[in-house]
Amino acid sequence: MKLDKKDILKALETITVPGEGQNMVESGAVKNVVTFADEVIVDITIKNPSLQAKKRTEVDILKTIHEKVYKKAKITVNIKVEAPEKPKPNLIKGKPIPGIQNIVAVASGKGGVGKSTVTANLAVSLSKMGFKVGVLDADIYGPSIPIMFDVEAEKPLAVNVEGKSKMKPVENYGIKVLSIGFFTQPNQAVVWRGPMAAKALNQMIFDAHWGELDFLLLDLPPGTGDIHLSIMQSLPITGAVVVSTPQNVALADAKKGVAMFQQDSISVPVLGIIENMAYFTPAELPDNKYYIFGEKGAKHLAKDLDVPFLGEIPLVQSIREAGDVGRPAALQTATPLEKAFETLTQNVVQEVVRRNENLPPTEAIKITTMAGCSAVKK
């Protein structure tokens, strides 16, 4: 007997794929049917990977074709399993800090790219836009935020909050600031191991009275290490921005910084990359641009990594001078620098809004593996 493909398909329409509501033809599970004389080959794809589901599917096809089409048909059933991709395990644990809406980490793979300068000016620009802003200087070994906000001689005061003693952040230019630099002498080196540094950070995070904040900016130390993990275990990071210069040496490390946040065990959204020291324009030649560290390197890196490019900041002497005297350059009104930082800040805010619309609220990560830690007993 010569079998007809239409008869086979009609018979298969009476079978439901295990675990699915539609019949196997309507659902698209049947990929191909080939007939030749009294032989028929059925190619089918199911989503249930269990051996029971595969066996039941094969038995149902054989039985149905034998009963409804031809009882002596020679049938071959090729079953392929395409299980739906498992969602990434949610390793996010902990609780958000009351009153703080968004926590943005400012990171860099390499030191000396102007990360603290960008953090300070980003904070000022956010404040000028009407947001309530705080800055936590998490660079334990090289705190520079107190200098940039002209508060290096200040000390946080103790305040009573619901019966508990809390640190009140130092405030200047409308920005609340906490830094380990407030608790050490200017000429004192912080010689701490990781656990000691992590404990100090936790105190500045949880023993501080930040109040209501729209943005808490974290000025992270360079690299990808213990302090970063401690911060991400303690705080629900909304997202991270990575600062780099266009130089290849800096870009190589920035790439590692992005990779750190994107690891499955961390999964902190990367809001984008900022290119600092993008070009130099002499004051006497305002139309000239000199690409001292390379041209558009961070912009190309952002494209390669498929993350947003947030903007570029030129290499300008007054930015350095402003940081040294404790008055961030973004406070210079009606200048190209103010405009550059405003554009950068608007892009950061836009990415935060987009991230909050498309992703669930983040919480502090839970490190579920100690692989690679030499202190762990084998």
Side-chain angles (χ1 to χ4, degrees), residues 119-350:
T119 302
N121 285 283
L122 183 59
V124 166
S125 297
L126 284 168
S127 181
K128 287 167 66 177
M129 291 169 65
F131 294 108
K132 296 176 182 176
V133 186
V135 175
L136 174 62
D137 187 358
D139 193 350
I140 292 290
Y141 304 107
S144 52
I145 290 296
I147 295 175
M148 294 187 174
F149 280 93
D150 193 24
V151 289
E152 55 185 326
E154 302 290 333
K155 299 292 180 187
L157 301 176
V159 293
N160 190 290
V161 180
E162 298 178 353
K164 295 182 179 180
S165 180
K166 298 275 189 178
M167 283 184 289
K168 182 181 179 182
V170 174
E171 190 168 338
N172 199 12
Y173 309 124
I175 316 295
K176 295 178 180 179
V177 178
L178 268 185
S179 169
I180 198 68
F182 293 139
F183 308 101
T184 60
Q185 297 299 320
N187 59 348
Q188 178 185 355
V190 179
V191 188
W192 289 347
R193 292 188 183 274
M196 185 71 175
K199 185 177 179 181
L201 278 174
N202 278 336
Q203 285 185 307
M204 288 196 294
I205 293 166
F206 297 108
D207 292 342
H209 179 54
W210 289 100
E212 297 290 328
L213 291 180
D214 296 305
F215 289 92
L216 175 63
L217 302 184
L218 308 179
D219 183 25
L220 296 180
T224 56
D226 192 46
I227 298 299
H228 302 77
L229 287 177
S230 297
I231 282 284
M232 289 183 285
Q233 280 181 283
S234 303
L235 284 172
I237 310 294
T238 305
V241 299
V242 176
V243 180
S244 178
T245 65
Q247 189 177 3
N248 286 339
V249 172
L251 295 172
D253 290 337
K255 190 173 183 179
K256 296 173 185 175
V258 172
M260 173 186 69
F261 291 114
Q262 291 180 337
Q263 282 191 44
D264 288 348
S265 59
I266 294 175
S267 291
V268 170
V270 177
L271 303 174
I273 295 177
I274 296 170
E275 183 169 273
N276 193 30
M277 308 181 202
Y279 56 85
F280 171 65
T281 297
E284 62 275 14
L285 297 170
D287 296 328
N288 288 26
K289 290 183 179 180
Y290 298 94
Y291 296 95
I292 297 174
F293 297 111
E295 186 173 356
K296 301 186 185 301
K299 189 173 185 177
H300 296 321
L301 177 64
K303 185 176 180 181
D304 291 343
L305 298 179
D306 195 25
V307 298
F309 179 67
L310 298 171
E312 58 184 22
I313 302 299
L315 177 62
V316 179
Q317 182 175 330
S318 65
I319 295 180
R320 191 272 305 164
E321 292 173 343
D324 285 349
V325 300
R327 184 175 171 80
L331 291 168
Q332 300 172 13
T333 57
T335 64
L337 283 182
E338 182 192 40
K339 181 62 179 174
F341 282 116
E342 274 183 2
T343 301
L344 170 65
T345 305
Q346 287 167 358
N347 290 338
V348 171
V349 172
Q350 180 178 308

Side-chain angles (χ1 to χ4, degrees), residues 87-110:
K88 290 181 180 179
N90 183 11
L91 303 179
I92 306 294
K93 304 295 177 187
K95 296 180 180 179
I97 298 177
I100 299 179
Q101 300 301 314
N102 299 286
I103 301 176
V104 177
V106 183
S108 70
K110 185 178 185 298

Side-chain angles (χ1 to χ4, degrees), residues 74-93:
K74 299 172 184 176
I75 308 167
T76 302
V77 181
N78 298 320
I79 300 178
K80 182 180 178 182
V81 177
E82 281 187 359
E85 185 179 351
K86 292 181 180 179
K88 290 181 180 179
N90 183 11
L91 303 179
I92 306 294
K93 304 295 177 187

